[in-house]
Amino acid sequence: MPAILASCWIPTRDETPPEPPAPESLTCSLTLPAAPQSPAIAREAACSILRAHGLEDVAPAAELVTTELTACACRFTPTDEVYLALRYRDDALRVILYDGHPRHVNTRLATACDSRRRDALATLAEVVRVSQGDWGFGEARQPGGGTRMWAVLPRAGADAYRLPPV
């Protein structure tokens, strides 16, 4: 029988532990079931991920945006799963959701569907506006198609979102 060799990093007295994650290293994705509990799971995961990367100041706006995008994706997708991605670049958090709902070929159906999706994201639109960010949706570029929704939250704007109005 061949020997099994396992190797793990075990710190010695001369080695320092790895640095904790920094905001710039945030690139995380998660596949979730298209189910009623997924928005809450996405929110908690985003909160933990942001805290681990030192982005607590962005968390209040990001948690709400993540929840809204996930709820919308779960509502619209005809598939069993949705895909969440969190990225931090250029002093802004990007929250991206992919669902399996294809774009409609018929213009009237596409307009009606887009209107329903916009209505479902009204709270998100306000949070992004207050945070001085950007959001939108369109055809997913992935091979499976579907819809891609996103929100970009600049760190300074998202931080201001959590402060009470003066």
Side-chain angles (χ1 to χ4, degrees), residues 42-62:
R43 181 185 186 105
E44 289 300 316
C47 180
S48 295
I49 292 164
L50 293 170
R51 190 177 326 111
H53 285 83
L55 291 165
E56 295 89 351
D57 51 335
V58 180

Side-chain angles (χ1 to χ4, degrees), residues 20-38:
E24 294 74 22
S25 69
L26 173 56
T27 175
C28 185
S29 50
L30 180 64
T31 301
L32 297 161
Q37 66 272 23
S38 289

Side-chain angles (χ1 to χ4, degrees), residues 25-158:
S25 69
L26 173 56
T27 175
C28 185
S29 50
L30 180 64
T31 301
L32 297 161
Q37 66 272 23
S38 289
I41 294 168
R43 181 185 186 105
E44 289 300 316
C47 180
S48 295
I49 292 164
L50 293 170
R51 190 177 326 111
H53 285 83
L55 291 165
E56 295 89 351
D57 51 335
V58 180
E63 289 175 24
L64 194 105
V65 164
T66 301
T67 303
E68 293 292 308
L69 286 173
T70 306
C72 187
C74 289
R75 179 177 171 202
F76 278 83
T77 191
T79 62
D80 294 335
E81 299 175 333
V82 297
Y83 179 80
L84 165 67
L86 300 171
R87 308 277 187 267
Y88 188 81
R89 290 188 187 99
D90 303 322
D91 293 323
L93 178 70
R94 288 150 173 77
V95 182
I96 306 163
L97 255 294
Y98 294 91
D99 66 58
H101 183 70
R103 301 292 293 163
H104 296 281
V105 177
N106 180 295
T107 308
R108 290 181 116 178
L109 286 176
T111 301
C113 189
D114 287 354
S115 179
R116 286 181 53 219
R117 197 176 285 259
R118 241 189 276 352
D119 289 346
L121 294 169
T123 301
L124 170 134
E126 182 60 17
V127 172
V128 172
R129 185 192 67 75
V130 169
S131 300
Q132 300 174 358
D134 185 31
W135 74 280
F137 57 88
E139 188 171 356
R141 300 178 198 126
Q142 308 329 43
T147 301
R148 174 182 177 260
M149 298 180 291
W150 72 90
V152 178
L153 298 170
R155 191 169 190 175

Side-chain angles (χ1 to χ4, degrees), residues 5-19:
L5 178 65
S7 62
C8 297
W9 177 75
I10 301 172
T12 64
R13 291 183 184 181
D14 299 337
E15 293 180 294
T16 58
E19 291 290 321

